[in-house]
Amino acid sequence: MSTVALGAKRLASVIGDGPWKTPAFESLAAAVAAAITDGRLPVGARLPSERELAVAVGVSRTTTGRAYAHLREQEFIVTRRGSGSIVQLPSVPGGRIDHLLSPSGADETEIDLTCTAPVAAPEILDAYERALSRLGAYLPGTGYYPSGLPVLRELIAERYTSRGAPTDPDQILITSGAFGAAAIAVRALLDVEPHEVRNRGAARSTSRVLIESPTYPNAIATLEGAGASLVTYPLEFGANGHHWDVDALEQLIRQTRPRSAYLIPDFHNPTGSLLPEDQRPQLADALSRHRVVPVFDESLIDLGLEEDSPPTPMASLVPDSVTVGSVSKICWGGLRIGWMRIPRHRVDHFASSRLGLDLGAPVLEQLVTVELMGSHEAIVAEARSRLRAARDSLAAQVREWLPDWKLVIPPGGMALWAELPEARSGVLSIAARNHGLGLVAGPNFAPAGGLDRWIRLPYTVPDAELDQVGPRLAAAWNDAKSMAGRGPLGRARIVA
């Protein structure tokens, strides 16, 4: 992780500026510790000096000195000569939770809330049957289409163009899901071409990638597996939920000079937040001016659950950006077809990088996707209606059974992101197994650790299962509050 200097004013905006309960040093230390645990202060960040913080929060330097000492004793910071006080997480038995979870081995009675994946759309079976009737025309060939079937690329390009991002079919690369698209994009962007190194100079790290916290766990694993050095931007949190502070994000970019970014501005996973229209040009300008090549994940772009206009595609605002998407979140998780929209001048490099991973997505599934594209609007409308009702049902259950949990209803997406009264989502995920509930703990969504006060609650399961979530969750929470520590830590698995 890259070290980021946190100014005193910025820290005060995160933890507040008082008044502080007596003894003030304990209250101040507790506020900083809570911000670290929640992921609002990223691991590796350098805190301001004791003197600077004292001025910003209205206490004496003695108070901030004792607060920092208290945080060192609790292992929330480490102070090094010449480096200042650096944020860290206290050590826990077994190590930090993996970003990918071990297979649950769930039985038929367990309600699986470990992934956001819909059941198959009603149109799936007919689409497969029609696709089979078209498959014969492709059998005389090799079956390899590394760029994707031309007919599918044309349809996806038309969708981008109709949304306000003019796109040629040659800019579209079909992949095995949005996850596969992101993996190809990361590999290509970190595999810098020689002329780019000369043009950019040695000051910019070619391995630094900006990423939000919380974020999609598979993105964390993909970036780390590609050798990326993650630069974490903690999303802001207020009365209206999680949101972006573009000025703070740009300051982070200015300090760390990342080469690329992985961002989810559209119904963000896991928070469901949507980057407002008035902030989109501001974010685009910041990324462009600092020559950051972003990967925008639009996997959930069609899942706005309010009656608002579709968001402006970031591809229309940042010419040198990559956008990834898929049909998995709308139609069916088993339909592993995704895509990426690539700037024209990067197409050859991305295509070459893709060949180092695989030789293309399955032809039959691409033909199925072509068939489904013809009913796209109807499929999306049905999915939105179903998810809207499920979201409201689950939110009502949480408020009835767990009134001390905090919820902000997201404008879209497939899950609630709930704040717990205590930092115990790790033990909650363990306790939930005894009540027939599979959960993913908050730290799995944290690139730099923390977020143990948060839990993701997908509302994608069938209604009969969804109706049982509230009481099972309440029983699991009662158990979790009495469990010692943070529970055993598991092996890794994919989190959808």
Side-chain angles (χ1 to χ4, degrees), residues 13-14 40 235-244 271 273 399 405-411 417 419 454:
S13 72
V14 173
R40 289 176 287 138
L235 288 180
E236 315 295 323
F237 181 71
N240 295 321
H242 284 79
H243 59 278
W244 291 260
T271 69
S273 299
R399 286 169 172 164
W405 288 21
K406 295 181 181 178
L407 284 181
V408 174
I409 304 301
W417 183 240
E419 183 181 8
W454 298 88

Side-chain angles (χ1 to χ4, degrees), residues 166-469:
T167 304
D168 292 332
D170 288 346
Q171 291 179 257
I172 301 299
L173 191 67
I174 305 301
T175 64
S176 297
F179 182 32
I184 294 168
V186 168
R187 177 180 176 135
L189 291 173
L190 296 185
D191 180 21
V192 186
E193 296 178 281
H195 75 274
E196 290 188 274
V197 175
R198 290 195 299 270
N199 292 341
R200 291 175 181 268
R204 178 182 297 272
S205 169
T206 59
S207 67
R208 289 180 188 157
V209 179
L210 177 69
I211 190 169
E212 298 143 333
S213 179
T215 193
Y216 180 43
N218 288 349
I220 301 170
T222 298
L223 290 167
E224 290 179 338
S229 175
L230 302 186
V231 175
T232 301
Y233 166 67
L235 288 180
E236 315 295 323
F237 181 71
N240 295 321
H242 284 79
H243 59 278
W244 291 260
D245 182 331
V246 179
D247 289 336
L249 190 148
E250 182 172 10
Q251 182 180 1
L252 179 62
I253 291 174
R254 190 181 298 114
Q255 288 186 19
T256 59
R257 296 181 58 79
R259 167 175 173 74
S260 184
Y262 173 84
L263 303 172
I264 314 176
D266 302 301
F267 311 116
H268 176 267
N269 185 2
T271 69
S273 299
L274 177 67
L275 181 68
E277 283 295 313
D278 60 352
Q279 284 189 296
R280 290 179 178 247
Q282 185 185 1
L283 174 61
D285 181 62
L287 293 168
S288 298
R289 280 190 291 105
H290 294 282
R291 298 186 300 175
V292 177
V293 184
V295 177
F296 294 116
D297 190 335
E298 283 191 345
S299 297
L300 301 173
I301 186 67
D302 290 317
L303 294 182
L305 304 184
E306 308 300 337
E307 300 301 325
D308 299 326
S309 301
T312 299
M314 292 302 299
S316 67
L317 303 174
V318 187
D320 195 15
S321 66
V322 179
T323 303
V324 303
S326 81
V327 293
S328 299
K329 299 299 187 183
I330 294 293
C331 297
W332 184 40
L335 188 59
R336 305 305 306 146
I337 295 297
W339 55 82
M340 60 174 60
R341 180 191 183 276
I342 310 165
R344 289 184 180 86
H345 68 282
R346 295 187 182 275
V347 169
D348 289 344
H349 183 52
F350 272 62
S352 175
S353 182
R354 191 265 169 78
L355 290 173
L357 293 175
D358 63 39
L359 296 178
V363 172
L364 178 59
E365 277 65 30
Q366 292 188 67
L367 291 173
V368 172
T369 304
V370 170
E371 296 295 331
L372 291 170
M373 287 287 183
S375 305
H376 179 75
E377 295 305 321
I379 293 172
V380 167
E382 193 280 330
R384 286 174 175 166
S385 177
R386 183 181 69 251
L387 289 171
R388 186 184 303 113
R391 176 197 65 181
D392 295 345
S393 171
L394 183 56
Q397 289 185 61
V398 172
R399 286 169 172 164
E400 176 185 356
W401 289 93
L402 296 150
D404 54 344
W405 288 21
K406 295 181 181 178
L407 284 181
V408 174
I409 304 301
M414 308 177 85
L416 302 176
W417 183 240
E419 183 181 8
L420 311 179
E422 305 173 39
R424 303 187 70 79
S425 72
V427 291
L428 173 60
S429 67
I430 301 302
R433 293 290 182 199
N434 295 327
H435 297 276
L437 204 59
L439 297 174
V440 180
N444 289 280
F445 301 87
L451 298 180
D452 201 33
R453 291 182 70 94
W454 298 88
I455 196 79
R456 188 182 72 170
L457 303 173
Y459 38 80
T460 52
V461 296
D463 290 345
E465 295 183 5
L466 190 69
D467 291 342
Q468 302 177 47
V469 170

